[in-house]
């Protein structure tokens, strides 16, 4: 996703685009398999560019507890500052310096960063998800299984024979 800055006046410009996940060069790419809506507001002032990026999509995650697939809304926003030319403003790590000859700004690395930074560490289909039974593997959201808490240790079962 590149924005042409060659003939831009000092002004506010907005862009809307629908992207696929090809800009995500990372294993988490597979979770973002729906069209990704992008909204960009670019504010140019001389050699400075303030770019506000928003992305919005549906992600397909796998629940950590019950292993079911579920879709979730994914939204992220980020502001990125650019300056054309190598200047004394250095030292400010937040501003990306572009060469004097730059004709476009490639947003792909920032888009990928946004997905990485906002990607959930835990994927839970529902706060109340009961997960899988550790014994029989049944999905407890669908049906309770028969190996509930009151199972008796087989060794006690043996002992019981003697107590009559
Ligand atoms: Zn679940
Ligand atoms: Zn069970």
């Amino acid at each position: 996703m590149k924005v042409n800055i060659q003939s831009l006046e000092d002004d506010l410009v907005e862009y809307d685009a629908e992207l696929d996940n090809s800009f995500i060069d990372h294993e988490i790419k597979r979770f973002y398999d729906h069209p990704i809506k992008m909204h960009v507001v670019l504010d140019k002032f001389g050699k400075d560019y303030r770019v506000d990026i928003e992305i919005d999509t549906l992600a397909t995650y796998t629940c950590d507890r019950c292993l079911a697939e579920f879709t979730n809304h994914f939204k992220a926003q980020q502001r990125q500052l650019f300056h054309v030319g190598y200047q004394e403003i250095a030292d400010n790590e937040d501003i990306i310096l572009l060469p004097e000859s730059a004709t476009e700004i490639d947003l792909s690395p920032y888009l990928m960063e946004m997905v990485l930074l906002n990607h959930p560490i835990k994927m839970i289909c529902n706060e109340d998800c009961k997960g899988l039974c550790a014994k029989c593997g049944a999905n407890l959201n669908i049906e309770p299984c028969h190996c509930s808490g009151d199972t008796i240790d087989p060794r006690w079962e043996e002992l019981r024979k003697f107590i009559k």
Side-chain angles (χ1 to χ4, degrees), residues 22-102:
S22 55
F23 66 87
I24 309 173
D25 183 18
H26 189 276
E27 61 182 78
I28 63 168
K29 178 180 186 163
R30 65 194 164 94
F31 297 114
Y32 301 95
D33 51 356
H34 289 78
I36 300 167
K37 281 188 214 133
M38 181 189 71
H39 182 68
V40 174
V41 180
L42 183 149
D43 192 3
K44 178 184 186 294
F45 184 74
K47 292 182 164 193
D48 291 298
Y49 296 81
R50 191 186 68 203
V51 184
D52 286 307
I53 315 168
E54 264 178 47
I55 50 173
D56 188 335
T57 187
L58 279 178
T60 307
Y61 298 136
T62 308
C63 179
D64 293 334
R65 286 185 203 158
C66 72
L67 305 179
E69 275 203 343
F70 64 101
T71 53
N72 219 3
H73 231 98
F74 179 89
K75 273 187 177 185
Q77 51 187 43
Q78 189 164 310
R79 170 168 287 180
Q80 199 66 57
L81 304 173
F82 299 91
H83 179 85
V84 173
Y86 298 101
Q87 278 199 1
E88 61 283 352
I89 54 153
D91 273 5
N92 187 339
E93 292 174 4
D94 297 333
I95 300 177
I96 308 290
L97 295 177
L98 299 171
E100 203 74 55
S101 59

Side-chain angles (χ1 to χ4, degrees), residues 152 154-164:
I152 297 159
R155 284 167 297 175
W156 287 111
E157 198 72 78
E158 279 301 306
L159 206 66
R160 198 181 258 183
K161 288 174 188 165
F162 300 100
I163 311 166
K164 285 203 173 150

Side-chain angles (χ1 to χ4, degrees), residues 63-68 70 123-126 129-131 141:
C63 179
D64 293 334
R65 286 185 203 158
C66 72
L67 305 179
F70 64 101
M123 298 178 185
I124 304 294
C125 67
N126 186 313
C129 174
K130 297 188 184 80
N141 296 313

